[in-house]
Amino acid sequence: MDDLLIRSATLLDGSGAEPTVGDLAVRNGRIRAIGPSLKVDSRQVIDADGLALMPGIIDSHTHFDAQITWDPYVRPSPALGVTTAVIGNCGFTIAPCRPADRELTMRNLTQVEGMSLDVLRQGIRWNFETFAEYLAQLRASGSAVNLAAYVGHSSLRTWVLGADAARREATPDEIAQMAGLVREAMAAGAVGLASSTSPAHNGEGGVPMPSRLANDAEHLALIEAMGQAGGGVYMVTKGGQMPVSLLEEMSARSKRPVMIAALLHNPMNPQAVFKDLDAISAANQRGRRLIGQVSCCPLTMDFTLASPYPVEGLSSWKPALGVQGAALRAVLGDPTFRDAVRAELAAPAVFRLFNGEWDKVHVVEVTDPRHRALEQRSIAEIAAEQGRDPLDAMLDLALAEDLGTTFVAQLLNSDEEAVASMLNHPHSIVSLSDAGAHLTFFTDAGFGLHLLGHWVRERGAMALPEAVRRLTHQSAALFGMPGRGLLREGHAADLLLFDPATVGRGPKRRVFDLPGGAPRLTTDALGVHGVWVNGGLVADAKGLRDDAALAGELMTRFEG
Ligand SMILES: [Zn+2]
């Protein structure tokens, strides 16, 4: 007897092929049969009535390494159609880690991934030191989604160099020790090795994350160690100073795929990301497997004027830095200060996080009920209605609410034509959700639903079968995840049942369910009717189920 029969679904099989209508039967966690009008005896029958059925989404860029130790449901991802998560991206892992380095590791995560130190201290269960022990802990506690874990370069460096990890290059002997740890981790079941060379990645007090201190010899030695057993994917969040040519060399020496993050479109330097993608294409023509991680979401950040991250990099903002309360309010109200900010925003700049795009700044939440009508509206719109300058409109609203107003700014990746061509690039992968990190700034765990709703349905920028392929089989093939990413008889029953006419992600909202009651942003799924991991129902139209099974598999064997 089968466990589940889904009848009359529009089957999008993950290969990119045109959909067919048919039935799908599940037994013992696997797809037992697919076909038109299956005659089966099943414990449960769902009439899909034309709804779309696809393999579950594979999220290739998450930071659930810490969260998974206290939340095996990795909220909010399963409710958003994700059935497999790759953890350890950018090399910001928590294993291997000696007890003496735990505090430093947590403090670094606080800075680089925007995690609260209190949450990490209360939340992380540290029943491990080595990478193999970390995997054993994950296996013992179970998870709602399938997992694949990178071993992280910054953790390896801290293990071998201690406090020097963030200060200097490694000696040949230290590099050899790190290479040994990479081989051990690969043998224990790592999906690959992750690193970062991005200047944006700083630990506590602004010191660089350890992997940023690595020289080319170290990067090459570690990827060769990874590839020695014939497996593994290398991922790196690349700084501008790390050329694609070095990554091509790393791929050539290791004969392994190299994933490059974070390819986001910057309106102030609009060609940069396409230059990287062109270099990636050229490397592929020479037979190397390089792939660029791109995002289908604008990089947006929530902020208040008490701590406005998007504008704090402006030199004209300096008078407002380091002051608080009445002194800060006085600066923000000063017409001279405002004129200086306006002048700086009007001048061209090579790189600037915020560029005076007031139509991309919105009011999220007011504190004074009399201002409620301003919520969800753009500063450009509000200013035009009031016949005032946008900076004045934003600052005066914030001052009227004692700086409590929450705004959101779209900073990067908001040029939709540019993003559409990045998403459709032959050597890009739709990724960069950063799920599990930056929990109070943004939440893109629903990136897959956003691709299906916004880019496929609303903009027609991609065909539905191709979008499904890019969310499923493309990742499964690249990582060599056996038996996943396609609707095929014998494959794992990782399934997402959804309505293409309504699928998407709902508005952001704040919930207070982290350890100690700390807040995080989340979004609800739209148009999702069911999510199954290895045949177990984890989410339905109401979200994560109370009885969601911890049926995820910790994957430790990869093909190809
Ligand atoms: Zn990351």
Side-chain angles (χ1 to χ4, degrees):
M1 188 183 233
D2 287 326
D3 300 312
L4 171 67
L5 174 68
I6 300 177
R7 264 200 204 293
S8 307
T10 301
L11 301 167
L12 290 138
D13 72 359
S15 72
E18 285 304 311
T20 56
V21 174
D23 304 347
L24 182 145
V26 174
R27 186 182 294 184
N28 294 331
R30 300 194 167 270
I31 300 171
R32 191 192 57 77
I34 302 172
S37 314
L38 292 179
K39 289 200 174 36
V40 303
D41 191 12
S42 176
R43 279 185 192 88
Q44 196 196 357
V45 179
I46 292 175
D47 189 352
D49 198 17
L51 291 175
L53 185 64
M54 64 178 271
I57 294 165
I58 298 174
D59 187 340
S60 59
H61 194 125
T62 80
H63 292 278
F64 283 130
D65 303 66
Q67 182 182 330
I68 189 134
T69 73
W70 71 79
D71 173 24
Y73 298 95
V74 292
R75 294 173 178 87
S77 289
L80 297 163
V82 172
T83 57
T84 298
V86 181
I87 64 175
N89 277 272
C90 314
F92 306 144
T93 43
I94 59 171
C97 185
R98 291 200 176 88
D101 295 325
R102 287 173 184 167
E103 180 73 9
L104 174 67
T105 297
M106 288 190 288
R107 286 180 176 276
N108 282 342
L109 286 177
T110 305
Q111 180 71 31
V112 75
E113 295 295 354
M115 298 173 177
S116 146
L117 188 58
D118 278 348
V119 169
L120 294 175
R121 279 186 178 148
Q122 290 182 53
I124 298 181
R125 290 175 47 234
W126 291 100
N127 300 326
F128 59 87
E129 292 186 30
T130 67
F131 185 80
E133 288 165 357
Y134 175 67
L135 291 188
Q137 176 177 323
L138 296 189
R139 193 176 290 112
S141 52
S143 61
V145 301
N146 307 302
L147 294 173
Y150 285 113
V151 61
H153 191 174
S154 282
S155 295
L156 298 174
R157 248 182 165 259
T158 302
W159 181 278
V160 172
L161 279 76
D164 267 4
R167 291 187 197 134
R168 62 167 173 88
E169 291 191 356
T171 64
D173 178 56
E174 288 164 340
I175 292 175
Q177 288 180 52
M178 284 187 261
L181 291 171
V182 171
R183 281 189 290 270
E184 268 176 40
M186 293 306 294
V191 71
L193 168 68
S195 187
S196 166
T197 59
S198 168
H201 283 155
N202 298 303
E204 194 186 30
V207 295
M209 286 299 282
S211 59
R212 290 182 49 203
L213 277 292
N215 57 23
D216 292 1
E218 180 176 333
H219 287 299
L220 283 161
L222 296 192
I223 195 174
E224 282 184 289
M226 180 196 85
Q228 266 160 11
V233 170
Y234 177 81
M235 89 72 60
V236 63
T237 296
K238 167 183 109 54
Q241 78 293 352
M242 189 187 215
V244 173
S245 56
L246 172 62
L247 293 161
E248 182 173 352
E249 169 76 14
M250 291 169 70
S251 178
R253 286 220 211 160
S254 64
K255 303 188 176 60
R256 300 307 309 160
V258 168
M259 273 213 199
I260 303 167
L263 301 185
L264 296 165
H265 186 259
N266 179 356
M268 298 315 294
N269 195 353
Q271 288 310 312
V273 75
F274 292 107
K275 279 189 195 133
D276 279 345
L277 284 167
D278 286 349
I280 288 170
S281 286
N284 275 273
Q285 274 152 24
R286 291 185 282 268
R288 315 296 175 219
R289 280 182 287 169
L290 268 58
I291 192 149
Q293 289 192 350
V294 301
S295 171
C296 67
C297 306
L299 178 63
T300 64
M301 279 194 191
D302 283 25
F303 66 96
T304 68
L305 265 300
S307 170
Y309 188 84
V311 288
E312 284 179 349
L314 297 174
S315 52
S316 57
W317 204 265
K318 288 226 172 76
L321 295 181
V323 288
Q324 288 173 347
L328 175 59
R329 289 197 300 274
V331 174
L332 297 179
D334 177 4
T336 321
F337 168 80
R338 293 181 179 191
D339 285 343
V341 173
R342 271 189 283 270
E344 183 172 356
L345 289 175
V350 178
F351 178 78
R352 193 160 56 200
L353 202 49
F354 177 64
N355 293 286
E357 297 177 281
W358 294 107
D359 56 324
K360 295 178 181 172
V361 182
H362 287 76
V363 178
V364 177
E365 197 175 348
V366 296
T367 58
D368 182 339
R370 287 172 301 173
H371 298 143
R372 192 121 296 151
L374 301 178
E375 287 182 346
Q376 310 307 330
R377 300 184 63 203
S378 79
I379 297 300
E381 214 180 302
I382 293 167
E385 191 176 272
Q386 298 174 350
R388 312 176 58 213
D389 172 83
L391 180 68
D392 290 334
M394 178 175 78
L395 293 181
D396 287 341
L397 172 59
L399 286 169
E401 300 202 326
D402 204 16
L403 309 189
T405 327
T406 307
F407 300 92
V408 62
Q410 290 184 9
L411 300 166
L412 298 173
N413 231 41
S414 57
D415 176 335
E416 295 221 312
E417 259 171 59
V419 174
S421 65
M422 291 159 63
L423 294 175
N424 281 295
H425 190 276
H427 302 294
S428 72
I429 184 164
V430 183
S431 186
L432 298 175
S433 81
D434 264 342
H438 310 293
L439 298 178
T440 56
F441 298 126
F442 65 93
T443 175
D444 288 339
F447 76 105
L449 304 183
H450 188 61
L451 186 75
L452 300 171
H454 181 68
W455 294 99
V456 173
R457 184 183 65 244
E458 290 171 4
R459 284 194 62 99
M462 193 183 282
L464 182 57
E466 172 64 3
V468 170
R469 184 188 74 82
R470 283 179 177 259
L471 294 173
T472 58
H473 179 55
Q474 187 189 14
S475 276
L478 192 86
F479 289 105
M481 294 170 173
R484 300 195 188 276
L486 288 170
L487 301 183
R488 291 283 185 275
E489 290 172 8
H491 271 226
D494 294 339
L495 304 169
L496 168 55
L497 182 66
F498 69 101
D499 183 353
T502 57
V503 69
R505 54 176 187 171
K508 280 179 302 196
R509 59 190 178 86
R510 246 172 302 167
V511 292
F512 299 82
D513 61 359
L514 291 175
R520 69 180 169 100
L521 288 169
T522 189
T523 52
D524 295 321
L526 302 175
V528 166
H529 289 252
V531 182
W532 291 263
V533 176
N534 297 313
L537 182 64
V538 292
D540 56 25
K542 295 195 199 95
L544 184 70
R545 288 174 60 92
D546 293 334
D547 64 352
L550 295 178
E553 181 199 353
L554 175 67
M555 287 179 275
T556 52
R557 280 200 317 241
F558 303 90
E559 296 167 340

